């Protein structure tokens, strides 16, 4: 599965310039390529991000999570989320699972990885607990 150059460029913009809050990627089976599907503006919330993920289709996503530590320091962590809902097609789940490691290697700077098959596996409490 090829990775479109735009995938890496947008990730670097998120990482270095904080241009986006999140990026959602999809696999185009006809082109045999991973593409950027949606870019989330920096002012969008985690709810906006989860609402952007399709309920019945797999996706990869990057989320830039801002939080405050117990020492009152402002920090952020870049999450890689493999969204693979139980209701998606088996072929799609297999395609996303088999392409995930290679795709992650293309995105240098991921700090936390999360695999989610339903929304409760990636709710804000889970994100907070994994960020610390």
């Amino acid at each position: 599965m090829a990775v479109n150059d735009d995938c890496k460029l947008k990730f670097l913009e998120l990482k270095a310039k904080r241009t986006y809050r999140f990026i959602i990627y999809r696999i185009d089976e006809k082109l045999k390529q991973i593409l950027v599907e949606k870019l989330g503006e920096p002012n969008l919330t985690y709810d906006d991000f989860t609402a952007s993920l399709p309920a019945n289709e797999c996706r990869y996503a990057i989320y830039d999570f801002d939080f405050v530590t117990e020492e009152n320091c402002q920090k952020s962590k870049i999450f890689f989320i493999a969204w693979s809902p139980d209701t998606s097609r088996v072929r799609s789940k297999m395609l996303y699972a088999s392409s995930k490691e290679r795709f992650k290697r293309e995105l240098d700077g991921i700090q936390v990885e999360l695999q989610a098959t339903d929304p409760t596996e990636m709710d804000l409490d889970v994100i907070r607990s994994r960020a610390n």
Side-chain angles (χ1 to χ4, degrees):
M1 193 62 57
V3 177
N4 186 292
D5 287 342
D6 209 30
C7 294
K8 291 179 268 191
L9 291 172
K10 298 300 180 200
F11 177 76
L12 289 172
E13 287 176 25
L14 176 145
K15 186 174 95 169
K17 301 180 193 158
R18 316 275 318 258
T19 315
Y20 310 107
R21 172 66 53 203
F22 62 85
I23 307 170
I24 296 176
Y25 302 97
R26 70 178 176 84
I27 292 177
D28 186 309
E29 291 186 41
K30 289 183 183 73
L31 296 175
K32 297 201 179 329
Q33 206 173 77
I34 299 172
L35 306 169
V36 172
E37 180 175 73
K38 181 170 183 171
L39 298 167
E41 297 302 315
N43 61 335
L44 294 178
T45 66
Y46 191 72
D47 289 336
D48 296 323
F49 164 65
T50 56
S52 300
L53 291 169
N56 301 319
E57 294 177 37
C58 299
R59 292 292 185 271
Y60 299 126
I62 294 292
Y63 187 80
D64 187 8
F65 179 63
D66 291 327
F67 63 101
V68 178
T69 65
E70 288 178 18
E71 296 82 35
N72 215 21
C73 293
Q74 187 71 36
K75 288 197 166 189
S76 87
K77 289 253 171 112
I78 296 175
F79 279 75
F80 176 87
I81 299 171
W83 172 241
S84 185
D86 291 330
T87 51
S88 58
R89 296 183 351 247
V90 172
R91 175 173 163 65
S92 178
K93 286 190 236 187
M94 289 171 55
L95 199 55
Y96 276 80
S98 63
S99 306
K100 182 175 84 171
E101 289 306 317
R102 179 170 184 278
F103 182 52
K104 274 181 26 198
R105 280 197 301 274
E106 299 280 341
L107 306 178
D108 185 37
I110 293 168
Q111 295 163 303
V112 184
E113 183 188 340
L114 206 61
Q115 171 80 36
T117 57
D118 76 73
T120 61
E121 294 178 354
M122 53 176 256
D123 68 16
L124 202 48
D125 291 336
V126 172
I127 297 292
R128 276 193 196 103
S129 73
R130 294 291 301 274
N132 292 324

